[in-house]
């Protein structure tokens, strides 16, 4: 064999042995560029698939959270929903310089002729009471002249104005704020108020006139509103439907209709026989066109004549303990703690109007949720209010529609009536001394609870001139 052939044979054997040896060794950087490229490509693919899987996982988690949020919003529609930026929506029309005092920093020396007033026709013309819906960025300029005190820093000032028997607003009471948080959720009441029909005022229009039919006479024309029995659940269904229509909110309308559907199914199995309320014979379609004020009263004592009618709703007394005269936090809210008459709560629908009237006792009006507009006037304006006289079923109430300018023309004295206004927001309390007039416009779905605490006689003389007697 030739020498070069022998060398080739040896080379082939060596190469085969070398390949066998390398195959048995662990992976090292000694691999060829081709093997390294394959490994890099595989690692890249694994990494890419891992990123895709993580992204997919994150997507499903986000979708689940959104679904949970939507489910929660479908269950809970806050009373204030649809009305963002409340503070900027209702703005004070006049500056402190124009008023002569700063309503958020009222002076210790009570301003002369406090609160400042304007002609009723001017205020009602600038903002007609039947126009109850304002949606940001739109806003309203309010003829506000009432002092607004911070409970935490201006408590003593609030007490001074209260003791002077002058109206004011107080806010930021911690107990009230806690109740505001709870009561912002309408479902809070669904969980606590049993499905028991309660007195509910009903009207074919958005205007409500109080009357006591025990005082009726042959000349009396009954107002259009009356009283029926209704559960909170049914009231909420109607209120959400009205709210959804006003705000063009399909979700609220859908929620309202779902609640009403549930109520109709349940009503087929039960029958209410409340002798103190008119039997509600309206069809579901007719009910959708009506307006409702739902009433829930919490009485402190089982000996109260009304206790057995509506029950003692303990959660109201517990949540609003500052309205319980026996609680230390109640001092500001009670002038006469021995004359407490319980807590009276009203659930209002957007657009409802309670006609102008005065009460013959002190009144602490607490707006726990939603918004309300109050047009108020001093008792010395009574001769301009065209009131139903004493003994009339609607005594102490104006006999005409303040929202109708045609009615103003028929009453020259009313055109000179002096009033002011305030927009209450959730957490606000309005103090109205005895015999002060108030005209109420519900600016959203809301809950208001008020208490009475005795009678003041500082305006007894002017009320008497108008034919009314302040009880002793």
């Amino acid at each position: 064999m030739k020498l070069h052939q022998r060398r080739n044979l040896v080379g082939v054997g060596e190469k085969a042995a070398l390949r066998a040896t390398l195959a048995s060794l662990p992976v090292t950087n000694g691999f060829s560029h081709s093997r390294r490229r394959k490994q890099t490509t595989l690692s890249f693919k694994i990494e890419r698939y891992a990123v895709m899987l993580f992204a997919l996982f994150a997507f499903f988690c986000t979708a689940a959270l959104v679904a949970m949020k939507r489910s929660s919003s479908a269950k809970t529609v806050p009373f204030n929903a649809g009305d963002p930026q409340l503070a900027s929506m209702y703005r004070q029309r006049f500056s402190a310089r124009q008023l002569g005092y700063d309503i958020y920093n009222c002076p210790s020396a009570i301003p002369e002729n406090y609160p400042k007033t304007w002609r009723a026709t001017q205020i009602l013309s600038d903002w007609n009471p039947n126009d109850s819906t304002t949606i940001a960025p739109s806003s309203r300029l309010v003829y506000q002249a009432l002092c607004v005190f911070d409970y935490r820093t201006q408590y003593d000032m609030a007490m001074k104005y209260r003791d002077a028997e002058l109206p004011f607003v107080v806010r930021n009471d911690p107990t009230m704020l806690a109740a505001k948080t709870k009561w912002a959720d309408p479902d809070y009441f669904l969980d606590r108020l049993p499905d028991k029909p309660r007195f509910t005022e009903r009207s074919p229009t958005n205007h409500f006139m109080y009357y006591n039919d025990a005082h009726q006479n042959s000349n009396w024309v009954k107002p259009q509103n009356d009283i029926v029995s209704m559960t909170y659940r049914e009231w909420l269904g109607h209120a959400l439907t009205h709210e959804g229509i006003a705000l063009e909110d399909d979700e609220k309308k859908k929620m309202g209709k779902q609640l009403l559907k549930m109520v109709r199914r349940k009503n087929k199995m039960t029958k209410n026989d409340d002798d103190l309320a008119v039997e509600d014979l309206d069809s579901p379609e007719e009910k959708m066109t009506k307006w409702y004020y739902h009433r829930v009263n919490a009485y402190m004592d089982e000996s109260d004549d009304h206790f057995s009618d509506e029950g003692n709703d303990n959660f109201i007394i517990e949540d609003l303990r500052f309205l319980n005269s026996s609680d230390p936090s109640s001092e500001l809210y009670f002038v006469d703690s021995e004359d407490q008459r319980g807590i009276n709560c009203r659930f209002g629908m957007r657009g409802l109007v309670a006609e102008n009237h005065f009460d013959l006792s002190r009144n602490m009006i607490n707006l726990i949720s939603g918004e309300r507009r109050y047009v108020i006037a001093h008792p010395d304006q009574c001769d301009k209010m065209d009131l139903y006289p004493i003994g009339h079923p609607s005594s102490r109430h104006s006999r005409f529609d303040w929202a109708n300018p045609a009615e103003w023309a028929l009453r020259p004295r009313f055109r000179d009536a002096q009033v002011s206004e305030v927009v209450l927001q959730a957490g606000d309390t309005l103090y109205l001394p005895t015999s002060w007039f108030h005209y109420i416009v519900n600016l959203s779905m809301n809950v208001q609870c008020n208490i009475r605490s005795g009678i003041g006689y500082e305006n007894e003389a002017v009320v008497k001139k108008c034919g009314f007697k302040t009880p002793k």
Side-chain angles (χ1 to χ4, degrees), residues 354-359 363 365 374-377 402 430 432 436-440 452:
E355 304 294 5
N356 176 61
H357 65 283
F358 72 90
D359 299 311
N363 204 347
I365 301 165
Y374 281 76
V375 181
I376 69 170
W402 278 26
L430 168 64
L432 281 181
W436 275 71
F437 290 97
H438 46 294
Y439 177 82
I440 309 166
R452 307 292 176 83

Side-chain angles (χ1 to χ4, degrees), residues 82-342:
D83 292 332
Q85 304 175 17
L86 295 178
S88 62
M89 284 170 53
Y90 304 111
R91 302 173 184 172
Q92 186 181 358
R93 182 177 288 270
F94 299 103
S95 66
R97 182 181 60 80
Q98 291 170 310
L99 281 180
Y101 55 93
D102 182 353
I103 65 171
Y104 298 106
N105 189 25
C106 282
S108 177
I110 298 173
E112 187 177 358
N113 298 321
Y114 169 87
K116 185 176 176 60
T117 59
W118 299 266
R119 286 192 176 187
T121 53
Q122 179 181 353
I123 290 180
L124 298 173
S125 295
D126 284 351
W127 184 6
N128 189 282
N130 287 334
D131 184 2
S132 59
T133 299
T134 306
I135 304 175
S138 298
S139 61
R140 300 282 187 184
L141 294 177
V142 181
Y143 288 81
Q144 169 146 352
L146 293 189
C147 293
V148 180
F149 296 116
D150 190 312
Y151 183 94
R152 300 164 300 182
T153 60
Q154 299 172 305
Y155 183 92
D156 292 340
M157 288 295 292
M159 288 291 287
K160 180 170 186 176
Y161 278 67
R162 191 208 69 175
D163 292 344
E165 295 293 354
L166 292 169
F168 62 88
V169 173
V170 65
R171 59 179 48 148
N172 291 329
D173 179 339
T175 309
M176 170 67 130
L177 294 178
K180 167 189 167 183
T181 301
K182 292 180 181 178
W183 290 27
D185 177 8
D187 287 343
Y188 183 75
F189 300 99
L190 285 175
D191 295 337
R192 286 160 181 78
L193 291 176
D195 272 339
K196 171 187 175 182
R198 296 169 185 262
F199 292 162
T200 303
E201 297 169 57
R202 172 185 65 177
S203 177
T205 74
N206 64 316
H207 285 254
F208 285 73
M209 171 70 77
Y210 166 84
Y211 66 89
N212 183 347
D213 53 12
H215 297 159
Q216 61 182 290
N217 54 53
S218 58
N219 297 323
W220 176 56
V221 178
K222 180 183 174 298
Q224 297 183 79
N225 50 285
D226 56 11
I227 295 177
V228 296
S229 287
M230 179 178 289
T231 63
Y232 168 76
R233 188 184 303 275
E234 182 174 0
W235 172 85
L236 180 59
H238 291 298
L240 283 172
T241 302
H242 275 265
E243 196 85 354
I245 292 172
L247 299 175
E248 297 181 356
D249 187 325
D250 292 335
E251 182 182 352
K252 283 189 176 64
K253 287 189 285 187
K254 181 179 178 182
M255 281 289 300
K257 291 178 180 178
Q258 287 175 344
L259 283 170
L260 293 174
K261 187 176 180 180
M262 292 171 57
V263 169
R264 285 195 293 271
R265 284 201 302 264
K266 186 168 184 178
N267 285 347
K268 290 180 179 179
M269 299 181 289
T270 60
K271 186 180 187 303
N272 175 54
D273 57 356
D274 195 332
D275 294 332
L276 297 178
V278 175
E279 186 175 1
D280 190 353
L281 300 176
D282 287 342
S283 68
E285 292 73 25
E286 289 174 318
K287 286 186 176 183
M288 294 295 289
T289 66
K290 301 293 177 69
W291 304 75
Y292 300 94
Y293 242 142
H294 192 61
R295 292 161 41 175
V296 178
N297 297 330
Y299 300 100
M300 305 296 176
D301 188 350
E302 292 188 23
S303 64
D304 192 290
D305 292 340
H306 300 283
F307 183 88
S308 59
D309 291 338
E310 299 192 36
N312 190 9
D313 295 296
N314 290 324
F315 81 94
I316 293 178
I317 297 172
E318 292 169 1
D319 289 351
L320 307 182
R321 64 178 185 273
F322 59 97
L323 300 184
N324 184 344
S325 59
S326 63
D327 193 278
S329 65
S330 69
E331 182 182 6
L332 175 64
Y333 302 93
F334 287 94
V335 180
D336 182 358
S337 60
E338 295 183 359
D339 194 28
Q340 182 174 11
R341 305 181 186 179

